Amino acid sequence: MNKPKILYRFFKKKKYRDQFIRGLIRFGSLDTYKEIEDQRRDLDEGVPKGKYTTNKLMFLKINNVTGKVVDKGYKSGDINISGYSPNSFYIVSMSDDKADLEFLSKKFGKYAVKINDIEKLVNLVNQKCNIPWNVGKIKLAQVKYDKDKYITMEKNSPHLPVEYYFTQKSETYAHEFEWRIVLTGSAIDQSDEKFVVIKVGSLHEIVSRVDF
């Protein structure tokens, strides 16, 4: 994955942007985006979906009169697949500079920040995270716009790749060119909070204000 040099995050209110620059990094749970009452709403958020072709679809041919199997074997065809994860996922959403930033500012808010060093930001979040139910490293991930499309499955596995739970969206969102900082919650001990905040200290060195 080639990490972007610059990312943008948008805010509805100036005070939220100022909080971000002061180092208050607010993660929202994926479930929140199924319920939120604005243009960020996505009822399928966190539910990976796809299909793949296999030559191992079993079939049976049954005689309608006798009820006996007269033929059986395997054939090629598509399998639709969806998934569920017991883990919870929290994200910070951003867009790269391939997006129409003016359009996104009207959609998400005119107060934006330009993040000039995303790797440093992710490192700071990992260093300062004190959430007891966080599992593994907090990471940067690029959103894939291939929900309900043909996808590449992991070898010898009938399951969707783990990252699809927090990166997959419908092609209708492709104009957002979204990247996410992702925090994973334990399946055993986790919070039901809609949002969590990690304090990383001032971001003035790597973040600048942008108004649209």
Side-chain angles (χ1 to χ4, degrees), residues 161-186:
V162 172
E163 64 268 19
Y164 271 64
Y165 289 90
F166 51 81
T167 62
Q168 196 192 45
K169 291 181 74 69
S170 165
E171 191 177 20
T172 57
Y173 296 92
H175 64 278
E176 296 177 3
F177 291 92
E178 186 182 357
W179 292 73
R180 294 172 166 182
I181 303 175
V182 183
L183 182 156
T184 303
S186 166

Side-chain angles (χ1 to χ4, degrees), residues 50 64 66 72 81 86 93 120 122-123 145 165 170 177 179 192:
N64 290 333
T66 65
K72 63 181 178 179
I81 187 169
S93 295
K120 183 172 182 178
V122 174
N123 287 339
Y145 300 101
Y165 289 90
S170 165
F177 291 92
W179 292 73
D192 58 359

Side-chain angles (χ1 to χ4, degrees), residues 24 103 119 137 164 187 195 202:
L24 302 179
F103 177 81
E119 190 169 358
K137 275 196 169 185
Y164 271 64
F195 299 95
S202 174

Side-chain angles (χ1 to χ4, degrees), residues 1 44 51 62 147 163 182 184 204:
M1 177 181 67
D44 280 335
K51 55 186 175 181
I62 300 174
K147 188 162 286 189
E163 64 268 19
V182 183
T184 303
H204 281 91

Side-chain angles (χ1 to χ4, degrees), residues 14-29:
K14 188 182 293 187
K15 68 176 182 179
Y16 296 152
R17 178 177 66 180
D18 292 342
Q19 289 171 357
F20 185 91
I21 295 172
R22 292 202 306 271
L24 302 179
I25 310 303
R26 187 172 182 251
F27 288 76
S29 75

Side-chain angles (χ1 to χ4, degrees), residues 49-126:
K49 297 178 181 179
K51 55 186 175 181
Y52 65 97
T53 300
T54 179
N55 59 3
K56 295 182 179 179
L57 277 179
M58 181 180 285
F59 72 88
L60 295 175
K61 187 175 181 181
I62 300 174
N63 186 295
N64 290 333
V65 177
T66 65
K68 292 182 178 180
V69 175
V70 295
D71 192 14
K72 63 181 178 179
Y74 295 92
K75 63 179 181 178
S76 297
D78 292 342
I79 291 180
N80 293 309
I81 187 169
S82 184
Y84 163 78
S85 173
N87 296 95
S88 57
F89 299 102
Y90 289 74
I91 62 170
V92 176
S93 295
M94 302 154 291
S95 294
D96 66 35
D97 56 7
K98 292 190 289 293
D100 182 338
L101 301 177
E102 287 282 353
F103 177 81
L104 293 187
S105 71
K106 294 173 183 176
K107 185 175 182 179
F108 298 132
K110 66 179 182 179
Y111 305 105
V113 292
K114 180 181 178 182
I115 303 167
N116 300 299
D117 192 340
I118 186 59
E119 190 169 358
K120 183 172 182 178
L121 177 55
V122 174
N123 287 339
L124 283 170
V125 170
N126 274 293

